[in-house]
Amino acid sequence: MKNQLVTTLIAATATLTGFVSKVDTASAAGFVWDNSWTQPTIYSKAQTGFDDAPFQQFVSAERLPLANSGLLQLDPTKLKLNYDYDVTAYFINQVAWNRNQLAYQATGTTNQSGLVFKVVPSKDPKYAADPNNYLLKPGDGVKLGKITAGTQLDFFLRADGYVRGNSSYTFSTQNAAANPDGLQHVVSFAYSKDEYVVLGFEDLFGGFGKQQNSDRDFNDLVVVLDIGKGNLVSVPEPSVALSLVAIGAVSILGLRRRRQTNTAN
Ligand SMILES: [Ca+2]
């Protein structure tokens, strides 16, 4: 029964997110992955001064590791800025076999798109000798440039895209219902009173027991966005956030149970 409840809640969440985001779809549509994109400059922690240590707790072997830390859950379809800011995306970590890629799109007063991470490290031992598997270290950052007030940010995970290219599944923050499996693939949280946004991505298609046997643990890529303190146009009311966290807590119970029989990432 619990698993049925979890499935229903996850589906309901995805449906709700998809329904709400349809309002904004027109303004953020038209994303196309450009295979000629090259990896932007990767800045080390020594160069940016960013400390990834507080965020590593959100990347654990536990399922849905982001939901137990008092973070304020956000709607990942509503990453819209109040004021101009030089946005940086920091790689925190991953627990994935795939060689995932990440891109972004800015729509509004700033209109641009591009690659964030060309190849996210994989835990697959067959890539252990490939230097491309280590381009990113935890805490490394990529600067998206100045994003102006009123701009919507969307992020796109191309699952195993470094290997599969155009035949990959691409999952986005833009509109969960438009994902290839119609499911939500990104969870989003505000950290330290809206100073940072934490994004957790799920890279496998479908759900547990279905195609790709997805565990829905949202730790296949964890990214932190420095978007500027208090810079989100839309932050949930506390009551709304509480109900979302409650859904996350129920999901943890169900997904931990599944973990015993599931070896997918
Ligand atoms: Ca996963």
Side-chain angles (χ1 to χ4, degrees), residues 2 5 16 40 69 81 95-96 112 121 136 148 152 166 178-179 199 230:
K2 267 189 178 172
L5 176 62
L16 178 63
S69 48
L81 303 193
V95 186
Q112 63 192 43
L136 282 172
T148 48
Q152 167 80 25
N166 289 342
N179 281 333
L199 298 177

Side-chain angles (χ1 to χ4, degrees), residues 63 95-96 201-204 213-221 262 264-265:
R63 308 295 149 133
V95 186
F201 291 86
E202 172 55 53
D203 69 351
L204 291 179
N213 214 19
S214 176
D215 50 20
R216 312 276 299 153
D217 59 4
F218 298 92
N219 64 5
D220 300 312
L221 170 61
N262 178 22
N265 55 306

Side-chain angles (χ1 to χ4, degrees), residues 166-184:
N166 289 342
S167 63
S168 311
Y169 291 122
T170 299
F171 303 110
S172 83
T173 55
Q174 193 175 42
N175 178 358
N179 281 333
D181 55 7
L183 298 176
Q184 183 175 351

